[in-house]
Structures are given as C-alpha cells and as structure tokens.
Amino acid sequence: MLNVDLGYLTFKLAFGGFESWQHKYGSQVSIAAVDNKSKRKELYPDYKKYRNVGKDDVIRMVWDLRKQVENEKLLPLCSIEGLEADDLVACWYIFNPNDDIVGVDKDFFQLPNVNHVLYHTKKWYEKRAAIEKLPDYVQQLAIENFALYQILLGDVADNIPRLLAKGNKGKQDISYLLEAQKHNDLGDTLIDLYGEQVIINAGLVLLPYFEFGEFDGHWFDCWCTGDYYKQSNWTKL
C-alpha cells in the first residue's frame, strides 16, 4: 500500500497525468496527506518565508489539482490543522511501516528504517544515493543520524538556519557530537555548542511535528535518547 504526500503528487502531475496515475495506483493508496498551515510558523516565523517566490503559475496549477482531488474525494485524504503533509506521512509510517512512502523528500530519511521512498512513477529514491551527494565531511553524520545532519545543516529552501561551522571547526563538532551520542550525552552537548537555537531547529526539522505527540518528558530529550518515534508518543491516524 502507498502512503502519499499529496503536495508532492499534485506537483508532479499538475500539468497532466493524474487520471492515469489514479487509475493505475489509486486503489493502493492508504492515505493521501494534505498540507495545512504549519504550526512551525509559531515556533519560527520565518519558516519557509521564501519557499514559493516567483512560482505563481506552477502553484496555481498544483492548487487547482489539489482542490479537485479534495472536492471530488479522489483519494483517501487526511488533513489535520497545523500539520504539514510530511508530518502526516511520518505519523502514518510510525503505525504502518510496511506502506511505501510516495514523496521524494529527503526529510523522510530521518524516519527509522526508511532507506528509500518512491517517485510518483514508483521508482525508488534511495537514502544511500542522497547521502552520496552530500559533502564528504557530513556523510558519516547523515549515515549515523540523518535528523541530526538536517538540524545542524539547516535548509535554505525552508529558511532554517545553519548551525554547523564550516571547515575544520565543523568537522571537529561532528566528531564531538557523534562521540556524545555514543555516551547518551547528545542533548546537553548540542545545547552547549549551539544554545537554544538547536531546539528550534529540531522542532522545524523533526517529523512528525512535536506538538502532535505526547511525551514522557521534553520532546527534545526524547529525540536525543532515540525514543521520539515510539508509537506510544503519537496518536494513530
């Protein structure tokens, strides 16, 4: 079965092909996750500030297809106020790990045991291939803790600030953090190095968004100790 990011799907098929895709794969879709205005804006108002600048025509076509899918209920839709589509995809995955994720977004590689996602054609986009395109000095970090790589490097497209220094200082910090992770001291070490901004970055990066969960203690500590993705922390969709 398929766990679909509807935003990705409508972007790829906005200029034609949706009916054919639906006929071929629609019966396999468990969930089609719909974007909502993100609560991440409350955490960091500049989140995705420049995301759609200069793309008005494309966005209009994507939006028109999305509204058609929603209004005609062409797929099994899921929408929750405050959550983005990838939050919903991630939450569905936590409870349904055998469903294939349809959405070429490297953010999904932070999820446990996700080593590939699918293009809309159902071809694989592999985590290994994504990591091989990264600069050499961050590849081991991405292999060992992909979410930590994202938290430290930020994301230009989403306007998430970079925390990791460039050059030798960055390499030293990576070694220091990976060693801290081995000794269950990742959280304190991150805060010592980067202050409270590292918690903000984590909130922007981690899937699903932490406010949708219920944790025994602080959500950031839960992630640092490797317990973020426990089913007991999340509500089944």
Side-chain angles (χ1 to χ4, degrees):
M1 298 298 286
L2 302 177
N3 177 2
V4 177
D5 179 339
L6 185 63
Y8 164 79
L9 186 67
T10 52
F11 178 79
K12 299 302 291 187
L13 301 176
F15 295 94
F18 178 79
E19 288 185 8
S20 175
W21 190 94
Q22 184 193 19
H23 177 74
K24 191 172 184 179
Y25 302 120
S27 63
Q28 301 175 33
V29 177
S30 295
I31 179 176
V34 179
D35 256 329
N36 272 277
K37 184 178 180 181
S38 178
K39 289 186 70 67
R40 289 176 175 84
K41 283 277 190 180
E42 299 174 7
L43 179 65
Y44 188 67
D46 287 338
Y47 176 65
K48 292 190 175 180
K49 184 176 181 179
Y50 307 107
R51 169 59 77 89
N52 294 321
V53 174
K55 299 181 180 179
D56 292 347
D57 290 341
V58 174
I59 295 303
R60 185 177 66 253
M61 295 293 288
V62 172
W63 183 253
D64 287 347
L65 178 56
R66 172 180 155 176
K67 294 307 293 182
Q68 179 188 355
V69 174
E70 291 184 34
N71 291 338
E72 299 179 21
K73 296 180 172 57
L74 300 178
L75 293 173
L77 304 173
C78 181
S79 175
I80 295 179
E81 185 177 354
L83 296 185
E84 298 175 61
D86 50 4
D87 293 310
L88 300 173
V89 168
C91 196
W92 185 266
Y93 171 81
I94 289 171
F95 292 92
N96 303 275
N98 293 324
D99 284 6
D100 285 314
I101 294 173
V102 178
V104 179
D105 186 339
K106 67 180 185 299
D107 292 351
F108 295 131
F109 293 143
Q110 67 180 258
L111 299 172
N113 302 314
V114 172
N115 293 310
H116 73 272
V117 294
L118 301 183
Y119 289 92
H120 64 292
T121 59
K122 293 191 72 175
K123 291 184 178 179
W124 285 19
Y125 173 55
E126 294 186 324
K127 181 178 183 179
R128 173 188 54 78
I131 291 175
E132 287 175 352
K133 293 180 179 179
L134 301 177
D136 290 346
Y137 76 100
V138 297
Q139 287 188 12
Q140 191 59 39
L141 173 64
I143 290 169
E144 295 196 28
N145 191 329
F146 199 86
L148 180 57
Y149 152 75
Q150 293 180 292
I151 290 165
L152 295 182
L153 273 290
D155 190 319
V156 173
D158 289 348
N159 203 36
I160 300 173
R162 178 181 176 130
L163 302 180
L164 185 70
K166 297 182 179 180
N168 288 333
K169 176 62 166 62
K171 294 177 184 178
Q172 292 170 0
D173 284 357
I174 289 172
S175 297
Y176 188 38
L177 288 165
L178 291 179
E179 191 64 25
Q181 181 175 254
K182 293 176 183 177
H183 294 90
N184 299 316
D185 193 30
L186 182 59
D188 289 341
T189 305
L190 282 168
I191 293 172
D192 286 345
L193 288 173
Y194 306 111
E196 293 298 313
Q197 183 63 47
V198 75
I199 300 178
I200 295 173
N201 271 31
L204 298 175
V205 163
L206 294 178
L207 302 174
Y209 188 58
F210 66 87
E211 286 193 19
F212 190 58
E214 295 184 7
F215 302 93
D216 184 13
H218 195 281
W219 63 269
F220 181 73
D221 294 332
C222 191
W223 172 74
C224 290
T225 57
D227 295 329
Y228 192 79
Y229 298 107
K230 283 185 175 180
Q231 286 185 358
S232 57
N233 295 330
W234 303 99
T235 300
K236 189 173 185 179
L237 298 178

